[in-house]
Amino acid sequence: MPVKRLLAIALTKDLLLSLEDGLRAEALKAHEIVRDHTGLRDKRRARGSEGQLRFRMMEERFEEICQVHGGRLLDGGVIPTTDLKVFQPFVRFEVQSQGIIFGMAAMPEPKALPSKNRSRASGVSLNYNLTPRLGFDETGPKMGDIFVVLLVSRHRERAGQIEEIAIGIIDSNYHSFLFYEPLDKFMSGHADLPLEPTSPTPSAPSVKLKKGVTPFVPPETPAEEKKGTGT
């Protein structure tokens, strides 16, 4: 199954819309808290404080929304079938026995890789089979799950705003994106449909007589009856 199709089934449109609304609201709230309640006059300190607060608030909202929509937090913070630990809220969705480990990360700007940390390094190791490479050996993790990130970039010119939210898959070497789409583009082709939609049953064609066609009358019909038919 194509990766995007798999993502569209596992990460439903309702989930993504809820995440977009929730994360934008948390970003604005973090800005207002720092602006109105910290007393920080130095802009650099204020921006740094806002960035820390914004991420922690979005992280918690991400976790809550994903669980409402069927995501399951990793038990003990360990990626299934591995001994790899994570220290951020990663949730697991599953479709047709294919698991998706879904996390959140902040981008410095749109289409830029988020900073690498222990949790994300553990996550991207699941993407080994998605990463182009010469297959000289069979070493490396071969997990059934893949790691997908909801990427968020603050607006660099408008305080308290989000510039871009995107869906991304990072290669197992943490060098580049294997898949990246802004959320609005990803959802524009998104449809929560069954994998193999059933084709509608064709209706039987209706038959109509042409206007002005004279009904057939057998030649042996008596003359009186022929008159009744209009012939």
Side-chain angles (χ1 to χ4, degrees):
M1 184 191 305
V3 169
K4 183 174 179 178
R5 178 61 176 158
L6 175 67
L7 298 182
I9 297 169
L11 308 177
T12 66
K13 195 168 186 178
D14 285 345
L15 164 66
L16 297 177
L17 287 172
S18 296
L19 285 170
E20 181 177 27
D21 290 345
L23 299 188
R24 289 186 184 279
E26 294 303 313
L28 181 59
K29 189 189 300 183
H31 169 69
E32 292 172 343
I33 289 172
V34 171
R35 181 193 64 192
D36 300 338
H37 300 290
T38 63
L40 289 171
R41 293 184 293 274
D42 182 88
K43 290 184 179 180
R44 181 180 57 82
R45 293 185 185 124
R47 282 196 303 270
S49 299
E50 182 180 331
Q52 286 288 331
L53 182 60
R54 178 178 60 245
F55 184 78
R56 297 307 174 196
M57 291 172 66
M58 289 194 303
E59 196 174 43
E60 186 157 309
R61 180 64 72 90
F62 171 86
E63 178 181 314
E64 293 169 352
I65 292 172
C66 285
Q67 289 185 97
V68 167
H69 288 267
R72 178 179 167 184
L73 280 173
L74 303 186
D75 294 333
V78 178
I79 295 177
T81 71
T82 79
D83 58 0
L84 301 173
K85 293 206 69 173
V86 297
F87 304 92
Q88 293 177 245
F90 286 2
V91 294
R92 187 176 189 273
F93 293 90
E94 184 174 318
V95 55
Q96 295 190 337
S97 301
Q98 170 67 60
I100 289 178
I101 305 297
F102 193 38
M104 190 196 78
M107 299 181 286
E109 60 186 36
K111 299 183 181 179
L113 283 173
S115 61
K116 184 177 180 180
N117 59 23
R118 289 178 63 188
S119 295
R120 292 170 202 153
S122 295
V124 300
S125 68
L126 301 181
N127 296 335
Y128 180 87
N129 286 331
L130 299 180
T131 303
R133 64 184 67 245
L134 294 174
F136 290 138
D137 57 49
E138 295 299 322
T139 61
K142 298 281 193 299
M143 312 307 169
D145 293 359
I146 60 175
F147 176 61
V148 183
V149 195
L150 184 72
L151 300 150
V152 184
S153 171
R154 71 174 180 85
H155 204 294
R156 289 161 289 172
E157 297 175 358
R158 297 167 59 187
Q161 301 297 310
I162 297 297
E163 184 172 2
E164 182 161 288
I165 302 177
I167 299 291
I169 298 177
I170 303 170
D171 75 282
S172 61
N173 296 316
Y174 219 97
H175 290 162
S176 61
F177 287 112
L178 297 170
F179 176 88
Y180 182 99
E181 273 195 5
L183 193 61
D184 54 353
K185 181 181 178 182
F186 181 80
M187 289 194 296
S188 67
H190 197 297
D192 295 332
L193 300 173
L195 284 177
E196 297 179 4
T198 55
S199 301
T201 303
S203 57
S206 58
V207 179
K208 297 181 180 179
L209 290 175
K210 293 181 180 180
K211 293 182 179 179
V213 175
T214 303
F216 172 74
V217 180
E220 64 273 13
T221 303
E224 291 79 5
E225 293 184 22
K226 289 183 179 181
K227 290 180 181 179
T229 62
T231 58

